[in-house]
Amino acid sequence: MRYLWWLVRRQPGRVLRGSLLGTAWMIGLSARPYLIARAVDDGLRARDTRALALWVAAIVVAGVALSYLGIMRHRTMTFIREDAKARSAEVLLRHLSRVGAVLPRRVGAGEVSTVGGSDIDWTAQVLTLTGPGVGAVVAYGVIAVVLWSISPLLALCVLVGVPVVGLVVGPLLRRLERAESVYRGQQGALTARSGDIVAGLRVLAGVGGRDLFARRYAARSQELRAEGYRVGAVNSWIDAATVAIPGLFLAAVVWLTARMAVTGDVTIGELVAVYGYVATLIVPVWFLLEGSHQLIRGRVAARRIVDLMNVTADDVGGPGRRWPGSLPEARHPDQLAAPEGPADLHDPVAGLTVRAGQLTGVAADDPAAAVALADRLGRYVASGVSWGGVPLTGIALDEVRARILVADHDAYLFAGTLRDILRAGADADDERIRVALRAASAEDVVDALPAGLDTPIDARARTLSGGQRQRIRLARALRGEPEVLILVDPTSAVDAHTEARIAERLRAARAGRTTVLIATSPLLLGRADLVAHLSAGRITATGSHADLLDRDPGYRHLVARGSDDADLEQPAETEEAYR
C-alpha cells in the first residue's frame, strides 16, 4: 500500500485535478434527475410550455457539460495511469540494472518478466480510485442528502443499503486476493520454465530430454490453468455481484418510492427524481466495487514489485536501503573510500591475492568454484574480499561496478547495431572499438557482416556462431577498459589458432592493468604473470605456467587436454607456429 501511495504522491497536481473532475462528473450525474423532476412537475403537470422548454434546455446544457467533464476526467485519469506505469517501469529498470548479476540468484527470469509486464499495469489501474473513486464517495453522500430532503426513509435505505453491498462483496474480494497471489506466483514460475526450455532446446534435443521437459511443462501448465479457473470463478462472482446487487438495490428503492407516490407522500416528479438518483447511484457504487476489485489485484501486483525492489545491494553484503531509496545518489555514511589507484584484490575464502597491474591466471578443478571466485571478486555475493586493504562490501556499489568488471563467456548481448553493442553506452570512437576487436581476434566477424559495425544484431546475437558471439563479448569487455577485468573462460568456444592469437593480444591490450583470467587453457595460462591452481575451493599452488606443470600433477592433468607436456611448456613457440 505504501508503494501505491508513493505512485500517487509522485503526481499530486494531476491526481488532485482527476479527483475534482471525477467528483464534478459524479455529482453532475445526479443533477439531471433533479432537472427532469422539475420539468415533470413545473412543466408537464402544470401544462406550462415555457417552463417545460426552459427545463428541457437546462437538461441539454447539463448533458453537454457532463459530457465535457467525462472526457476531461477520462483524459486525466489516463495520464495518471500512464505516468504510474512509466514511473514503475523506470524505477524497476534502474534498480534491476544496479542489482545486476545478483538478480538471477534471487529471482527467476519468469518472475521478472511478469512483474515488468502485467504487474506494473495492475498497480497503475488502482490509481483510478483517486478520480472516480473519490467522486463516487462524494456523490454517494450528496445523493443521500438530496434523498433526505424528499424522504428520510429513502435516504436511510440508501445509507444502509450501500454498506450492505460492500459486506456482501467483501469476502469475495479477500478470497480473490489469496487466489490471485497463488496464481501470479505460479504464472511467474511457468514463464521461467518456458524460458529455460527455449534457451536450452538444442541441448535438450541432443540428450533426448525434449519430450520429458515437454511433459513436465504441460503438467505445470495444466496446474496453472486449474488455478486460473479458480481465480476466474471468484472474478465471475464479483462481476455478477457488481451488476446484480446494485440492480436489486435500485428495484427495491423504486418499489418503495412508487408505493409512497400512490399514498401521496411524494409527487410524480419526485418519483421520477428518486428513480434517477438511485439509477445514478449505481454508477458510483459500480465504481466503488470495481475499484475494490482493482485494489485487490493492485495490492498483489505491488507486493510482487516491492519484493523485486527489495533485492538490493544488501544481498551482496553492501549497505543499502529499501525502495525507493534503493537508488542512492550520494555515498552512504557507512561506505568506505575505494583505493585511489590500482590496488591488490585479496579473497580469503580461496586464499588468492590478485596483484595490481598483473595478468593473473586461475585454473580451477571445479567450474562452479571458478564462477564463485569471480562472483566474490566482483562483489556479486557477500564475502570477505578486500581491495587495497578495504573491504569490498564497504565500498559504494556504483564505484565497484565502474572499476571492476566481471565478463562471463555467455554474458547477454542486447539487440542493436554491432557498434552500439561494443560501445555499451559509452562514448567510444570506431578506432577504440577496432582496437578492442583486434585484441579479441574478432575483426573477421565484422568483415563478414553485410554492413560492418552498422549491421543490426538481434538479442543474444543468435545470427552469429558461438565462437563469434564469445569474441564479441570479449571485445566489449576490453573496450570498457576497466581498472580490474575478470574474464571467465573467454575462449571456450573458439578454435586453438584463434585462442593463441587472443592469448598474445590480450596480454598486450591489458598491459599494466589488473586482469584475472579464469580458464584452463594452456595457451592463455602460459601468458599470465602468475598462475594459481584452485582445487576444492582453495588455492593449492601458485607460480608460472611452466613451474606448475613441473611440480603440480593436479594442475598438469587439468590443463593437459590430451596434449603432451612438451607442447604445454612452449606456448610462445606454439603461437609462432600458428601465426
Side-chain angles (χ1 to χ4, degrees), residues 181-528:
S181 298
V182 175
Y183 178 76
R184 300 295 293 161
Q186 291 185 2
Q187 188 179 42
L190 188 62
T191 304
R193 172 163 294 201
S194 64
D196 293 341
I197 291 175
V198 171
L201 193 58
R202 289 185 178 180
V203 177
L204 291 176
V207 299
R210 183 166 52 186
D211 292 339
L212 173 62
F213 274 81
R215 289 194 299 271
R216 289 183 178 178
Y217 181 84
R220 291 293 298 272
S221 181
Q222 295 298 323
E223 294 174 5
L224 180 63
R225 185 180 66 174
E227 191 63 37
Y229 284 159
R230 283 190 283 271
V231 175
V234 180
N235 269 325
S236 64
W237 279 106
I238 293 175
D239 290 341
T242 301
V243 176
I245 294 178
L248 294 174
F249 177 66
L250 171 63
V253 174
V254 170
W255 177 82
L256 181 61
T257 309
R259 291 188 58 88
M260 294 175 68
V262 170
T263 59
D265 294 333
V266 297
T267 66
I268 298 299
E270 288 174 335
L271 170 63
V272 174
V274 168
Y275 172 79
Y277 291 141
V278 179
T280 300
L281 190 62
I282 289 180
V283 177
V285 169
W286 181 87
F287 266 108
L288 290 174
L289 292 175
E290 181 69 14
S292 300
H293 190 185
Q294 291 174 344
L295 182 61
I296 292 300
R297 285 185 165 180
R299 282 183 58 189
V300 174
R303 187 179 299 122
R304 289 161 58 83
I305 292 176
V306 171
D307 288 342
L308 199 55
M309 293 291 290
N310 281 340
V311 182
T312 65
D314 294 340
D315 298 302
V316 289
R321 294 170 291 168
R322 299 305 185 187
W323 75 270
S326 58
L327 305 171
E329 298 179 357
R331 180 181 295 276
H332 191 279
D334 296 334
Q335 288 174 348
L336 304 174
E340 294 184 0
D344 295 350
L345 272 171
H346 177 68
D347 175 29
V349 176
L352 173 68
T353 298
V354 179
R355 299 298 180 188
Q358 290 189 356
L359 175 60
T360 302
V362 177
D365 294 347
D366 182 4
V371 173
L373 174 63
D375 288 342
R376 292 194 299 271
L377 294 176
R379 195 184 143 183
Y380 290 108
V381 294
S383 67
V385 173
S386 61
W387 188 19
V390 181
L392 194 61
T393 54
I395 302 173
L397 186 60
D398 290 345
E399 192 163 5
V400 174
R401 293 289 179 263
R403 298 174 62 182
I404 300 178
L405 173 63
V406 177
D408 292 324
H409 66 89
D410 59 348
Y412 193 90
L413 292 173
F414 292 93
T417 65
L418 185 57
R419 177 181 285 103
D420 291 336
I421 293 173
L422 293 171
R423 188 170 54 192
D427 293 330
D429 53 28
D430 286 0
E431 182 58 31
R432 294 176 63 186
I433 290 177
R434 293 191 182 280
V435 169
L437 286 169
R438 185 179 187 282
S441 191
E443 310 103 307
D444 61 314
V445 179
V446 181
D447 295 338
L449 296 175
L453 290 174
D454 294 319
T455 304
I457 304 296
D458 62 357
R460 296 185 182 272
R462 294 185 179 90
T463 55
L464 302 179
S465 68
Q468 289 175 327
R469 287 195 296 268
Q470 196 170 67
R471 285 181 284 161
I472 292 298
R473 293 186 183 102
L474 177 58
R476 181 178 62 178
L478 293 172
R479 208 266 343 129
E481 300 178 359
E483 183 177 324
V484 179
L485 177 59
I486 301 168
L487 296 172
V488 181
D489 257 343
T491 58
S492 58
V494 302
D495 59 78
H497 294 70
T498 306
E499 189 175 39
R501 285 195 300 270
I502 292 175
E504 180 184 25
R505 296 174 182 179
L506 177 62
R507 180 178 176 85
R510 294 292 298 172
R513 282 176 290 192
T514 307
T515 306
V516 180
L517 189 56
I518 301 177
T520 56
S521 165
L523 295 173
L524 294 177
L525 296 173
R527 296 289 180 178

Side-chain angles (χ1 to χ4, degrees), residues 3-73:
Y3 182 78
L4 295 174
W5 177 238
W6 177 77
L7 290 176
V8 172
R9 289 189 292 111
R10 294 305 92 191
Q11 41 181 336
R14 190 178 289 138
V15 168
L16 178 61
R17 184 165 67 251
S19 298
L20 293 176
L21 289 171
T23 301
W25 180 71
M26 285 286 187
I27 295 177
L29 291 175
S30 62
R32 287 189 298 177
Y34 171 78
L35 297 175
I36 293 173
R38 302 311 307 163
V40 171
D41 286 341
D42 298 345
L44 289 177
R45 294 186 63 199
R47 298 183 183 277
D48 188 340
T49 305
R50 183 174 180 276
L52 178 62
L54 289 175
W55 287 116
V56 168
I59 293 171
V60 173
V61 171
V64 173
L66 195 61
S67 298
Y68 175 77
L69 288 174
I71 291 172
M72 297 306 296
R73 173 196 62 80

